[in-house]
Amino acid sequence: MTYFDTHTHLPDDCTDEQAEALIDEATKAQVTELLLAGTSLRDCPQNLNIAASHEGVFTSVGIHPLEAQDYDAEVAIPKLREWLSAPHVVAIGEVGLDNHYEDSAPPPALQEQAFRDQLRLAAETNTPVVIHSREAFDRCYELVRENLPADHPLQVHSFADGPEELDKWLKLNTIFSYNGMVTFKKAENIRETLRLVPFDRLVLETDAPYLAPVPFRGQPNASKHIPVIARRIAEERQLSLEELARLTTANARRFFRIEI
Ligand SMILES: [Zn+2]
């Protein structure tokens, strides 16, 4: 039985040795595949190096909406296009819109421009997309519809909207990744949609170093905690842990087009 952490990040200023240790600890916890999700032109190169030198480590490249403050299409898009040709780069992301931080966030127009350009790059290169949508469902969905074909593969990461938004995403070619929030006492809204996601659309993530599951809240999260998250999801979905691991790993490999 092995797990796939479909969305994780290295901590800020992580050395290659620290990254090595995090991957080792994950492997010992049976998390043998993981995807380092890109957030900026600064973190993508390290992710690319680590993915190139570790079996089972993949990466996505992209500019997160909260990293869009200095977005310049002329610099960013050629860089991303170049990185996409590396063999362990399996998606564009995480990209999207984030309306959570009113004052400090990059202006909506700049977030939208970065998102739109990256969706178009995904369409042009036929690359799966990892979506970050926080308090921004309507506009996010609109931009996806406007810039991608209806059957384009999308991962809605850390899904936190309601059943209505879930239904709309389900009409597209989407998968949904759930993280440690499923263990939070107050997150009944997250567990509500978790119970509605079809089994062939469900994958696991940590979103480390954020969102450590209970009982590790307040500590830095890491991919080694996937089994804790998986146990809670298996319980909510009334599946055995083995069955959940098997189907979420198969879904992730299919989505990222990983042949083993
Ligand atoms: Zn993330």
Side-chain angles (χ1 to χ4, degrees):
M1 180 173 85
T2 63
Y3 300 98
F4 197 136
D5 181 357
T6 66
H7 190 111
T8 182
H9 308 278
L10 299 173
D12 284 343
D13 305 316
C14 184
T15 64
D16 287 348
E17 290 71 31
Q18 287 165 330
E20 203 77 45
L22 288 167
I23 293 166
D24 275 355
E25 285 167 12
T27 307
K28 286 187 187 121
Q30 292 171 292
V31 185
T32 54
E33 285 159 282
L34 55 91
L35 178 127
L36 297 169
T39 66
S40 70
L41 297 183
R42 291 184 315 281
D43 72 0
C44 288
Q46 187 183 24
N47 291 344
L48 282 157
N49 281 337
I50 290 170
S53 53
H54 290 82
E55 196 164 344
V57 178
F58 305 92
T59 187
S60 64
V61 294
I63 296 165
H64 189 289
L66 297 179
E67 295 284 347
Q69 64 284 345
D70 47 9
Y71 176 73
D72 176 353
E74 313 243 310
V75 176
I77 298 300
K79 255 288 150 227
L80 295 172
R81 186 182 279 114
E82 176 197 321
W83 288 334
L84 281 175
S85 59
H88 302 279
V89 178
V90 295
I92 288 180
E94 53 183 301
V95 298
L97 302 174
D98 192 317
N99 288 328
H100 186 67
Y101 306 95
E102 271 169 38
D103 296 331
S104 55
L110 202 52
Q111 290 193 35
E112 287 195 14
Q113 193 203 340
F115 187 31
R116 187 185 296 110
D117 290 351
Q118 294 179 95
L119 290 174
R120 289 181 181 166
L121 179 64
E124 176 203 317
T125 55
N126 184 25
T127 310
V129 177
V130 181
I131 303 272
H132 171 107
S133 166
R134 193 171 188 194
E135 296 165 31
F137 171 79
D138 288 336
R139 190 66 186 131
C140 203
Y141 194 80
E142 224 166 65
L143 286 167
V144 163
R145 296 309 311 271
E146 283 169 16
N147 293 286
L148 289 175
D151 62 350
H152 196 95
L154 303 166
Q155 175 183 12
V156 185
H157 124 80
S158 193
F159 181 71
D161 291 313
E164 232 173 90
E165 289 81 11
L166 178 73
D167 269 349
K168 287 190 179 158
W169 281 128
L170 280 171
K171 292 192 171 74
L172 307 180
N173 185 11
T174 39
I175 60 167
F176 298 83
S177 46
Y178 281 84
N179 52 43
M181 286 164 80
V182 300
T183 67
F184 296 0
K185 199 163 176 229
K186 288 185 177 153
E188 189 46 46
N189 62 319
I190 306 280
R191 288 184 289 274
E192 185 190 356
T193 63
L194 166 65
R195 290 188 291 262
L196 297 170
V197 173
F199 285 132
D200 62 344
R201 308 277 200 110
L202 184 63
V203 293
L204 306 173
E205 67 162 56
T206 54
D207 205 13
Y210 318 105
L211 300 172
V214 174
F216 305 105
R217 282 194 83 174
Q219 300 175 24
N221 195 7
S223 291
K224 67 178 177 190
H225 292 322
I226 277 281
V228 179
I229 297 164
R231 262 197 293 282
R232 182 57 187 265
I233 293 177
E235 194 181 299
E236 293 293 332
R237 297 307 305 257
Q238 302 183 315
L239 284 177
S240 70
L241 195 55
E242 289 74 15
E243 186 64 4
L244 180 79
R246 191 193 59 73
L247 76 91
T248 51
T249 297
N251 291 343
R253 288 178 187 156
R254 190 182 63 242
F255 180 80
F256 295 118
R257 302 164 178 165
I258 293 164
E259 286 171 25
I260 57 153

